[in-house]
């Protein structure tokens, strides 16, 4: 049975409030197809009865969490878009490694990491190309709202189809071990990356200062005000000379003028403009 207008309105409001996900009128069918599997899994006879129980729950229950998981789009792949990784390898990581040669540590945030392919791609890229940081403290943090995606990223277990998407064969052979029809990330790679659940529109809790932040293909779902707020918050956790990567179709332009686009190779990255106005040493946080 199609989702009723009032149930759709409830879900629309819920998705906007809880995850900043915008569901325009006309997305009723999408919502319905996303909710049907959980309704079935949880033994309810209709979306209406699931939502009626969910509405009566106190606070944010596991029913709410399942709906959020179902509404997020977790599309991702290894080395997505290729160029950002080329730029990391040829320009950005060499610069950061040089800058951090005294402390021997740096940190990278894959925000909205989905099932972890972006974070693991960066870890592979570092192991393959920068043997000099083998004994450094390299922290790669992946965060995502969707608990199912975070669990999968933590587990580091991928299907044949998933490893076929973007992962060069030599890297598959070197960093994964086969488990029946699936592929598990080996320990030395896994050790470099940690994942946790985090909602970008709620309090971020404690985060280290990052040298690089990648927040790709998630803000496309958000309203301008939310994007502006998130971009402002990122400046607080990004090293003043650090770099921000957005998705191929995303930009800070006309949203937040305190970011400076920088063309590097075939990529456009962003740096905080506040750096140009202030003495960088005043801004250093570690
Ligand atoms: C399309 S995927 C992009 C994954 C990866 N960044 C990439 O570019 O391949 C979008 C991810 O954003 C996450 N997401 C959506 N809303 C979010 C929010 N409010 N806070 C954190 N993550 C969110 C989804 O769960 C999903 O995994």
């Amino acid at each position: 049975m199609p989702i009723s207008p009032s149930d759709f309105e409830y879900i629309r409001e819920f998705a906007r409030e809880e995850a900043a996900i915008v569901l325009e009128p006309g997305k009723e069918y999408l919502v319905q197809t996303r909710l049907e599997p959980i309704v079935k899994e949880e033994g309810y006879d209709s979306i209406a009865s699931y939502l009626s129980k969910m509405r009566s729950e106190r606070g944010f229950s596991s029913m709410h969490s399942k709906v959020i998981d179902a509404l997020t789009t977790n599309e991702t792949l290894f080395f997505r878009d290729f160029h950002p990784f080329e730029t990391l390898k040829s320009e950005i990581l060499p610069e950061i490694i040089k800058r951090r040669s005294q402390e021997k540590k740096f940190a990278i945030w894959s925000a909205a990491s989905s099932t972890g392919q972006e974070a693991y791609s960066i870890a592979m890229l570092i192991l393959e190309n920068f043997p000099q940081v083998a004994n450094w403290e390299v922290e790669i943090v992946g965060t995502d709202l969707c608990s199912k995606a975070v669990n999968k990223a933590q587990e580091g277990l991928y299907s044949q189809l998933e490893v076929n998407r973007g992962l060069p064969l030599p890297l598959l052979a070197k960093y994964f071990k086969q488990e029946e029809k699936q592929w598990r990330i080996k320990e030395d790679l896994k050790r470099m990356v940690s994942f946790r659940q985090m909602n970008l529109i709620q309090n971020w809790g404690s985060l280290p200062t990052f040298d690089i932040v990648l927040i790709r293909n998630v803000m496309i779902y958000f309203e301008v005000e939310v994007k502006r707020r998130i971009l402002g918050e990122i400046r607080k956790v990004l090293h003043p000379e650090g770099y921000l990567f957005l998705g191929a179709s995303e930009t800070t332009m006309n949203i937040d003028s305190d970011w400076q686009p920088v063309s590097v190779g075939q990529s456009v990255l962003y740096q905080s403009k506040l750096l140009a106005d202030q003495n960088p040493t005043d801004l250093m946080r570690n």
Side-chain angles (χ1 to χ4, degrees), residues 85-122:
F85 296 93
E86 261 312 295
T87 304
L88 274 175
K89 181 173 106 179
S90 61
E91 306 280 344
I92 303 302
L93 281 165
E95 181 186 320
I96 302 252
I97 288 169
K98 195 166 163 204
R99 188 187 302 148
R100 295 296 206 156
S101 60
Q102 291 298 312
E103 308 100 303
K104 293 197 179 341
K105 66 172 196 173
F106 61 90
I108 300 174
W109 182 19
S110 169
S113 51
S114 186
T115 39
Q117 284 89 329
E118 179 176 86
Y120 286 127
S121 299
I122 297 168

Side-chain angles (χ1 to χ4, degrees), residues 19 72-76 80 112 114 144-145 199-200 216-218:
T72 55
T73 300
N74 303 124
E75 165 65 11
T76 190
R80 184 174 193 171
S114 186
D144 199 279
L145 169 64
N199 190 340
L200 286 164
R216 302 196 303 146
N217 307 302
V218 59

Side-chain angles (χ1 to χ4, degrees), residues 22 60 93 275:
V22 180
F60 194 91
L93 281 165
L275 173 67

Side-chain angles (χ1 to χ4, degrees), residues 79 84-85 87-100 104-113 116-130 133 136-144 189-196 198 204 206-216 234 237-239 241-246 269 286:
F79 297 96
F85 296 93
T87 304
L88 274 175
K89 181 173 106 179
S90 61
E91 306 280 344
I92 303 302
L93 281 165
E95 181 186 320
I96 302 252
I97 288 169
K98 195 166 163 204
R99 188 187 302 148
R100 295 296 206 156
K104 293 197 179 341
K105 66 172 196 173
F106 61 90
I108 300 174
W109 182 19
S110 169
S113 51
Q117 284 89 329
E118 179 176 86
Y120 286 127
S121 299
I122 297 168
M124 283 185 270
L125 188 132
I126 292 172
L127 287 182
E128 284 294 294
N129 297 285
F130 303 98
V133 306
W136 287 30
E137 209 180 295
V138 177
E139 195 176 0
I140 303 171
V141 182
T143 64
D144 199 279
L189 188 71
K190 209 164 168 204
R191 221 176 293 126
M192 293 173 68
V193 188
S194 65
F195 293 97
R196 71 174 166 90
M198 195 189 103
W204 292 359
S206 101
L207 288 171
T209 297
F210 294 105
D211 298 276
I212 301 167
V213 173
L214 302 97
I215 178 162
R216 302 196 303 146
I234 292 174
V237 296
L238 184 67
H239 186 281
E241 291 174 284
Y243 290 96
L244 169 69
F245 285 74
L246 300 178
L269 328 179
N286 64 1

